[in-house]
Amino acid sequence: MQYKTMNVDGLSIFYREAGCPSNPTIILLHGFPSSSHMFRELIPLLSDCYYVIAPDYPGYGYSSMPSTTEYIYSFENLSLIVEKLINQLGISMFILYVHDYGGPIGLRIAIRNPNRILGFVIQNAVASVEGLGEPFDLFKALWLQRNSATESAFAELVTFDFTKKQYLYGACQPYSINPDAYIFDQLFLDRPGNNNIQLELGYDYRNNVDQYPLWQQYLRTYQPPVLITWGKNDFIFTIQGAIDIASQLNCVEIYWLCGGHFVLEEQSVQVSLLIKNFFGRVYPEMPWYQC
């Protein structure tokens, strides 16, 4: 694995890279509150068959973190940054692996580039209101009336206790969850000014909900092959969210994996095998078939 940065619109965007560029490309899009670090175990398991790119969004991980007065933090802007990174890397077609916040970022990229998408791997990311779990009550209150009270309540989502809960709640083997993961995430959340970034994105998430019908239409119209690898004990996104996505598709497989929101902490090997097997069957003429 290599660790690189690229200048995109004046921002330094960090990304992890592995595998041969002549292989099919898979782009790994992380969720909140993590970074490409969440894929640290999955990337080596895919790199024998795929060219793997895992970026950090602005405000996350090792990428630039301009203040909210210097940069408009929205899912639209994050998706444009990732798309420009993909273009600057010279990648023409690719699979999108999306988790959590990676869902609205990846689906925006797909809608703008439907003919470049080879398929999706969806890990606990949704495109329906029914997929939003209990923590989104804090988002909804913020969307309904943004004031000091709702902003203060939303701040619970960037605390260490909540970050740790995202990793441990629903884990099938909680004692196997490496504390480095949630401690690493929290170090970045605790940077001065990052709470403002998370607040802006939390408020902007309402625009994702508004686009759910558009995303569902994209899935019905273009029918990308979709593999759903779902941490079945997730408390942030519901199982119904996965079912709703699958209902739009003809070529789809769902696997309910034992684990929570960050199911890769327990199931990276299983997920890598599912990816290789699924796309090997979808594209038997492609190099995946040889893996």
Side-chain angles (χ1 to χ4, degrees):
M1 193 186 313
Q2 295 185 314
Y3 309 90
K4 298 182 177 180
T5 59
M6 181 173 288
N7 185 293
V8 182
D9 285 350
L11 299 177
S12 177
I13 301 301
F14 173 87
Y15 62 99
R16 299 167 196 251
E17 178 187 52
C20 179
S22 63
N23 284 340
T25 300
I26 184 166
I27 310 291
L28 310 180
L29 300 180
H30 67 81
F32 167 85
S34 194
S35 63
S36 60
H37 182 257
M38 70 168 280
F39 299 114
R40 66 198 178 281
E41 295 180 2
L42 182 65
I43 292 171
L45 297 170
L46 294 176
S47 62
D48 58 336
C49 298
Y50 298 92
Y51 179 47
V52 188
I53 298 294
D56 291 349
Y57 316 136
Y60 291 84
Y62 296 119
S63 288
S64 292
M65 193 191 80
S67 71
T68 55
T69 59
E70 298 170 311
Y71 179 78
I72 298 174
Y73 283 90
S74 69
F75 286 89
E76 178 71 12
N77 284 343
L78 296 187
S79 74
L80 290 169
I81 286 287
V82 172
E83 183 179 339
K84 289 176 181 179
L85 173 68
I86 294 169
N87 291 341
Q88 288 177 207
L89 288 168
I91 298 168
S92 58
M93 302 181 73
F94 45 90
I95 298 169
L96 286 169
Y97 185 120
V98 299
H99 173 247
D100 192 299
Y101 277 14
I105 292 170
L107 281 162
R108 280 178 167 82
I109 293 171
I111 285 175
R112 292 193 295 264
N113 305 272
N115 296 323
R116 298 174 65 186
I117 306 302
L118 293 169
F120 278 87
V121 182
I122 298 179
Q123 177 202 329
N124 300 71
V126 302
S128 65
V129 174
E130 292 75 17
L132 302 176
E134 183 179 349
F136 274 89
D137 290 347
L138 296 175
F139 285 76
K140 293 171 185 176
L142 184 70
W143 305 338
L144 183 63
Q145 188 172 20
R146 184 172 178 176
N147 54 38
S148 59
T150 56
E151 289 182 354
S152 178
F154 184 85
E156 174 191 336
L157 302 180
V158 299
T159 63
F160 176 75
D161 286 346
F162 189 77
T163 301
K164 183 177 179 180
K165 181 179 180 180
Q166 290 187 71
Y167 279 88
L168 295 183
Y169 186 97
C172 289
Q173 296 180 313
Y175 293 108
S176 72
I177 305 298
N178 189 336
D180 291 352
Y182 50 83
I183 290 172
F184 184 84
D185 286 356
Q186 195 63 40
L187 288 173
F188 287 104
L189 283 176
D190 288 343
R191 290 177 293 178
N194 196 269
N195 59 327
N196 295 325
I197 291 171
Q198 303 310 326
L199 178 62
E200 291 305 315
L201 286 171
Y203 187 60
D204 185 66
Y205 203 98
R206 72 196 191 284
N207 293 317
N208 296 334
V209 176
D210 290 343
Q211 289 205 16
Y212 284 168
L214 181 63
W215 301 349
Q216 293 167 14
Q217 181 183 9
Y218 158 78
L219 294 172
R220 288 193 303 270
T221 301
Y222 289 94
Q223 290 295 322
V226 174
L227 171 67
I228 300 175
T229 57
W230 202 268
K232 64 181 180 180
N233 301 324
D234 190 4
F235 72 106
I236 298 174
F237 294 111
T238 70
I239 285 176
Q240 187 60 46
I243 294 171
D244 289 345
I245 289 174
S247 71
Q248 313 293 321
L249 299 162
N250 298 323
C251 182
V252 59
E253 293 182 8
I254 304 181
Y255 294 88
W256 308 113
L257 302 178
C258 196
H261 188 63
F262 283 102
V263 72
L264 287 180
E265 296 298 313
E266 299 181 84
Q267 302 283 359
S268 283
V269 172
Q270 177 68 3
V271 170
S272 71
L273 294 174
L274 289 171
I275 291 171
K276 292 175 183 178
N277 290 336
F278 177 76
F279 286 106
R281 284 182 274 111
V282 171
Y283 296 108
E285 76 283 3
M286 299 291 281
W288 295 298
Y289 189 68
Q290 309 299 321
C291 293

